[in-house]
Amino acid sequence: MPIGNIKNSKEAEKITLPSLPKADMFRHWKLTVRKTILSASIDPDATWTWLLQIEQPHTTFESLYDPGDYFRTLDTKLCVAVDMLVRDNHSLKSDIDIETETLAKQGKRIAGRQVLQMVYKSYKTNVENGTVYDVMDVIAVELHGNQMEHFLHRWDKVILGLSEPMPENTKKAFFASKVRNCQAFQREYTDWKRKSDDDPTKTLETLRQAMKDLIEDARREGEGRRTTRFKRLC
């Protein structure tokens, strides 16, 4: 067991993290997150070292899978806390859900530090250096040809870094106008466009997820072709 400063005799029943911040408040928010997690632990000194591993430049998502026996319950509570934190951020929640399902298929459960790292990385625009975006940056995001992956990465980066929140309908209108002429996305866009405006599935997240699924399908097909070529060479 790590030797630290045993401040509390009992670990907190749950962790409640502060709401996701605006882009320019990320640095301060992260400091508060650290303090919140430390205050929930029975050993703040050991937890501090354990927590900072998330932020090390060479720490991978996979290396955070095993929290260690000493932090197992704290890590589980952290996972629940992050799940509650992102429930209204459809983009981030979708990414975490995909990773959760991917690990579940391998018989594994996602770890708290893993999902917290995903939240941190989602803010890794130039947010920590004080760079934020406005509506003109949203307008400037363009989908060139069928370069959907590059477009989606840029879109998510700008939307997450907005200095002021944008109404959901406005974001939906912007996104739809940018993807409607993409030939590789025509079927998905047309199916979405044909839905009535009062259809609860005619949302920005539905359209965004359709593009993300298409990107993932193309990536898997590409990997399959590379594997086939490799086997032929062998």
mmCIF file of all heavy atoms in Angstrom, residues 52-66 111 113-115 117-118 121:
data_model
loop_
_atom_site.group_PDB
_atom_site.id
_atom_site.type_symbol
_atom_site.label_atom_id
_atom_site.label_comp_id
_atom_site.label_asym_id
_atom_site.label_seq_id
_atom_site.Cartn_x
_atom_site.Cartn_y
_atom_site.Cartn_z
ATOM 1 N N LEU A 52 -1.904 12.603 -10.941
ATOM 2 C CA LEU A 52 -1.065 13.333 -11.891
ATOM 3 C C LEU A 52 -0.568 12.458 -13.032
ATOM 4 O O LEU A 52 -0.132 12.971 -14.059
ATOM 5 C CB LEU A 52 0.129 13.964 -11.174
ATOM 6 C CG LEU A 52 -0.158 15.212 -10.336
ATOM 7 C CD1 LEU A 52 1.136 15.773 -9.773
ATOM 8 C CD2 LEU A 52 -0.887 16.278 -11.145
ATOM 9 N N GLN A 53 -0.634 11.150 -12.855
ATOM 10 C CA GLN A 53 -0.235 10.251 -13.941
ATOM 11 C C GLN A 53 -1.079 10.484 -15.190
ATOM 12 O O GLN A 53 -0.611 10.266 -16.306
ATOM 13 C CB GLN A 53 -0.359 8.796 -13.485
ATOM 14 C CG GLN A 53 0.674 8.383 -12.454
ATOM 15 C CD GLN A 53 0.443 6.986 -11.922
ATOM 16 O OE1 GLN A 53 -0.451 6.273 -12.379
ATOM 17 N NE2 GLN A 53 1.234 6.583 -10.947
ATOM 18 N N ILE A 54 -2.318 10.931 -15.008
ATOM 19 C CA ILE A 54 -3.201 11.207 -16.140
ATOM 20 C C ILE A 54 -2.591 12.254 -17.063
ATOM 21 O O ILE A 54 -2.722 12.186 -18.288
ATOM 22 C CB ILE A 54 -4.580 11.712 -15.657
ATOM 23 C CG1 ILE A 54 -5.251 10.672 -14.762
ATOM 24 C CG2 ILE A 54 -5.491 12.069 -16.839
ATOM 25 C CD1 ILE A 54 -6.535 11.174 -14.113
ATOM 26 N N GLU A 55 -1.907 13.218 -16.476
ATOM 27 C CA GLU A 55 -1.450 14.390 -17.217
ATOM 28 C C GLU A 55 -0.027 14.270 -17.740
ATOM 29 O O GLU A 55 0.457 15.184 -18.407
ATOM 30 C CB GLU A 55 -1.572 15.626 -16.327
ATOM 31 C CG GLU A 55 -2.985 15.859 -15.815
ATOM 32 C CD GLU A 55 -3.052 17.022 -14.844
ATOM 33 O OE1 GLU A 55 -2.369 18.036 -15.077
ATOM 34 O OE2 GLU A 55 -3.783 16.919 -13.839
ATOM 35 N N GLN A 56 0.653 13.178 -17.436
ATOM 36 C CA GLN A 56 2.013 13.005 -17.937
ATOM 37 C C GLN A 56 1.992 12.880 -19.462
ATOM 38 O O GLN A 56 1.130 12.195 -20.016
ATOM 39 C CB GLN A 56 2.661 11.773 -17.314
ATOM 40 C CG GLN A 56 2.810 11.849 -15.802
ATOM 41 C CD GLN A 56 3.572 13.073 -15.347
ATOM 42 O OE1 GLN A 56 4.629 13.395 -15.897
ATOM 43 N NE2 GLN A 56 3.031 13.781 -14.369
ATOM 44 N N PRO A 57 2.916 13.522 -20.157
ATOM 45 C CA PRO A 57 2.878 13.551 -21.632
ATOM 46 C C PRO A 57 2.938 12.189 -22.304
ATOM 47 O O PRO A 57 2.421 12.016 -23.402
ATOM 48 C CB PRO A 57 4.096 14.415 -21.998
ATOM 49 C CG PRO A 57 4.970 14.404 -20.784
ATOM 50 C CD PRO A 57 4.050 14.302 -19.623
ATOM 51 N N HIS A 58 3.556 11.214 -21.666
ATOM 52 C CA HIS A 58 3.697 9.902 -22.292
ATOM 53 C C HIS A 58 2.697 8.877 -21.749
ATOM 54 O O HIS A 58 2.782 7.692 -22.092
ATOM 55 C CB HIS A 58 5.128 9.377 -22.103
ATOM 56 C CG HIS A 58 6.181 10.279 -22.676
ATOM 57 N ND1 HIS A 58 6.227 10.594 -24.026
ATOM 58 C CD2 HIS A 58 7.189 10.972 -22.097
ATOM 59 C CE1 HIS A 58 7.238 11.416 -24.249
ATOM 60 N NE2 HIS A 58 7.834 11.668 -23.099
ATOM 61 N N THR A 59 1.756 9.327 -20.919
ATOM 62 C CA THR A 59 0.743 8.413 -20.396
ATOM 63 C C THR A 59 -0.268 8.081 -21.481
ATOM 64 O O THR A 59 -0.845 8.980 -22.095
ATOM 65 C CB THR A 59 0.013 9.032 -19.190
ATOM 66 O OG1 THR A 59 0.937 9.240 -18.122
ATOM 67 C CG2 THR A 59 -1.091 8.101 -18.698
ATOM 68 N N THR A 60 -0.482 6.804 -21.727
ATOM 69 C CA THR A 60 -1.454 6.380 -22.738
ATOM 70 C C THR A 60 -2.779 6.024 -22.091
ATOM 71 O O THR A 60 -2.863 5.794 -20.877
ATOM 72 C CB THR A 60 -0.940 5.140 -23.491
ATOM 73 O OG1 THR A 60 -0.831 4.039 -22.565
ATOM 74 C CG2 THR A 60 0.414 5.415 -24.122
ATOM 75 N N PHE A 61 -3.807 5.978 -22.904
ATOM 76 C CA PHE A 61 -5.129 5.577 -22.440
ATOM 77 C C PHE A 61 -5.066 4.176 -21.838
ATOM 78 O O PHE A 61 -5.637 3.905 -20.775
ATOM 79 C CB PHE A 61 -6.102 5.618 -23.618
ATOM 80 C CG PHE A 61 -7.512 5.232 -23.291
ATOM 81 C CD1 PHE A 61 -8.378 6.126 -22.694
ATOM 82 C CD2 PHE A 61 -7.989 3.962 -23.606
ATOM 83 C CE1 PHE A 61 -9.693 5.777 -22.401
ATOM 84 C CE2 PHE A 61 -9.289 3.592 -23.320
ATOM 85 C CZ PHE A 61 -10.146 4.509 -22.714
ATOM 86 N N GLU A 62 -4.346 3.284 -22.497
ATOM 87 C CA GLU A 62 -4.257 1.892 -22.053
ATOM 88 C C GLU A 62 -3.551 1.763 -20.703
ATOM 89 O O GLU A 62 -3.919 0.920 -19.882
ATOM 90 C CB GLU A 62 -3.516 1.050 -23.093
ATOM 91 C CG GLU A 62 -4.264 0.842 -24.407
ATOM 92 C CD GLU A 62 -4.278 2.082 -25.297
ATOM 93 O OE1 GLU A 62 -3.433 2.995 -25.072
ATOM 94 O OE2 GLU A 62 -5.131 2.152 -26.199
ATOM 95 N N SER A 63 -2.556 2.596 -20.459
ATOM 96 C CA SER A 63 -1.785 2.483 -19.217
ATOM 97 C C SER A 63 -2.597 2.891 -17.992
ATOM 98 O O SER A 63 -2.196 2.596 -16.857
ATOM 99 C CB SER A 63 -0.517 3.341 -19.300
ATOM 100 O OG SER A 63 -0.839 4.724 -19.294
ATOM 101 N N LEU A 64 -3.719 3.556 -18.203
ATOM 102 C CA LEU A 64 -4.557 3.990 -17.086
ATOM 103 C C LEU A 64 -5.662 2.988 -16.764
ATOM 104 O O LEU A 64 -6.483 3.228 -15.875
ATOM 105 C CB LEU A 64 -5.205 5.350 -17.406
ATOM 106 C CG LEU A 64 -4.230 6.523 -17.564
ATOM 107 C CD1 LEU A 64 -4.981 7.754 -18.067
ATOM 108 C CD2 LEU A 64 -3.511 6.826 -16.261
ATOM 109 N N TYR A 65 -5.663 1.852 -17.467
ATOM 110 C CA TYR A 65 -6.742 0.878 -17.288
ATOM 111 C C TYR A 65 -6.774 0.301 -15.875
ATOM 112 O O TYR A 65 -7.831 0.185 -15.263
ATOM 113 C CB TYR A 65 -6.604 -0.258 -18.307
ATOM 114 C CG TYR A 65 -7.530 -1.418 -18.022
ATOM 115 C CD1 TYR A 65 -8.909 -1.283 -18.177
ATOM 116 C CD2 TYR A 65 -7.026 -2.636 -17.551
ATOM 117 C CE1 TYR A 65 -9.773 -2.331 -17.881
ATOM 118 C CE2 TYR A 65 -7.878 -3.685 -17.273
ATOM 119 C CZ TYR A 65 -9.252 -3.534 -17.434
ATOM 120 O OH TYR A 65 -10.092 -4.561 -17.134
ATOM 121 N N ASP A 66 -5.615 -0.053 -15.349
ATOM 122 C CA ASP A 66 -5.554 -0.663 -14.017
ATOM 123 C C ASP A 66 -5.220 0.402 -12.980
ATOM 124 O O ASP A 66 -4.103 0.921 -12.959
ATOM 125 C CB ASP A 66 -4.501 -1.763 -13.989
ATOM 126 C CG ASP A 66 -4.498 -2.524 -12.663
ATOM 127 O OD1 ASP A 66 -5.293 -2.167 -11.762
ATOM 128 O OD2 ASP A 66 -3.696 -3.473 -12.525
ATOM 129 N N ALA A 111 -11.962 2.629 -16.954
ATOM 130 C CA ALA A 111 -11.507 3.146 -15.667
ATOM 131 C C ALA A 111 -11.792 4.635 -15.528
ATOM 132 O O ALA A 111 -11.925 5.357 -16.522
ATOM 133 C CB ALA A 111 -10.004 2.891 -15.506
ATOM 134 N N ARG A 113 -9.805 7.021 -14.355
ATOM 135 C CA ARG A 113 -8.737 7.880 -14.875
ATOM 136 C C ARG A 113 -8.745 7.921 -16.395
ATOM 137 O O ARG A 113 -8.371 8.939 -17.001
ATOM 138 C CB ARG A 113 -7.372 7.408 -14.369
ATOM 139 C CG ARG A 113 -7.125 7.692 -12.899
ATOM 140 C CD ARG A 113 -5.679 7.436 -12.509
ATOM 141 N NE ARG A 113 -5.272 6.069 -12.794
ATOM 142 C CZ ARG A 113 -4.010 5.636 -12.723
ATOM 143 N NH1 ARG A 113 -3.042 6.462 -12.379
ATOM 144 N NH2 ARG A 113 -3.709 4.371 -12.981
ATOM 145 N N GLN A 114 -9.181 6.847 -17.028
ATOM 146 C CA GLN A 114 -9.260 6.839 -18.486
ATOM 147 C C GLN A 114 -10.273 7.864 -18.987
ATOM 148 O O GLN A 114 -9.993 8.619 -19.920
ATOM 149 C CB GLN A 114 -9.629 5.446 -18.984
ATOM 150 C CG GLN A 114 -8.500 4.432 -18.897
ATOM 151 C CD GLN A 114 -8.891 3.072 -19.426
ATOM 152 O OE1 GLN A 114 -9.962 2.552 -19.098
ATOM 153 N NE2 GLN A 114 -8.045 2.476 -20.249
ATOM 154 N N VAL A 115 -11.451 7.875 -18.392
ATOM 155 C CA VAL A 115 -12.476 8.805 -18.864
ATOM 156 C C VAL A 115 -12.123 10.242 -18.506
ATOM 157 O O VAL A 115 -12.436 11.173 -19.259
ATOM 158 C CB VAL A 115 -13.882 8.427 -18.347
ATOM 159 C CG1 VAL A 115 -14.361 7.155 -18.996
ATOM 160 C CG2 VAL A 115 -13.917 8.290 -16.833
ATOM 161 N N GLN A 117 -9.089 11.392 -18.410
ATOM 162 C CA GLN A 117 -8.096 11.771 -19.420
ATOM 163 C C GLN A 117 -8.785 12.174 -20.722
ATOM 164 O O GLN A 117 -8.359 13.124 -21.397
ATOM 165 C CB GLN A 117 -7.130 10.617 -19.684
ATOM 166 C CG GLN A 117 -5.989 11.000 -20.628
ATOM 167 C CD GLN A 117 -5.242 9.791 -21.176
ATOM 168 O OE1 GLN A 117 -5.856 8.897 -21.752
ATOM 169 N NE2 GLN A 117 -3.938 9.757 -20.994
ATOM 170 N N MET A 118 -9.864 11.485 -21.084
ATOM 171 C CA MET A 118 -10.601 11.832 -22.295
ATOM 172 C C MET A 118 -11.194 13.234 -22.190
ATOM 173 O O MET A 118 -11.209 14.000 -23.169
ATOM 174 C CB MET A 118 -11.693 10.804 -22.561
ATOM 175 C CG MET A 118 -11.181 9.438 -22.964
ATOM 176 S SD MET A 118 -12.500 8.250 -23.339
ATOM 177 C CE MET A 118 -13.165 8.965 -24.864
ATOM 178 N N LYS A 121 -8.303 15.689 -22.587
ATOM 179 C CA LYS A 121 -7.830 15.770 -23.973
ATOM 180 C C LYS A 121 -8.829 16.502 -24.873
ATOM 181 O O LYS A 121 -8.436 17.097 -25.873
ATOM 182 C CB LYS A 121 -7.553 14.369 -24.512
ATOM 183 C CG LYS A 121 -6.259 13.770 -23.988
ATOM 184 C CD LYS A 121 -5.878 12.495 -24.726
ATOM 185 C CE LYS A 121 -4.497 12.031 -24.314
ATOM 186 N NZ LYS A 121 -4.066 10.818 -25.049
#
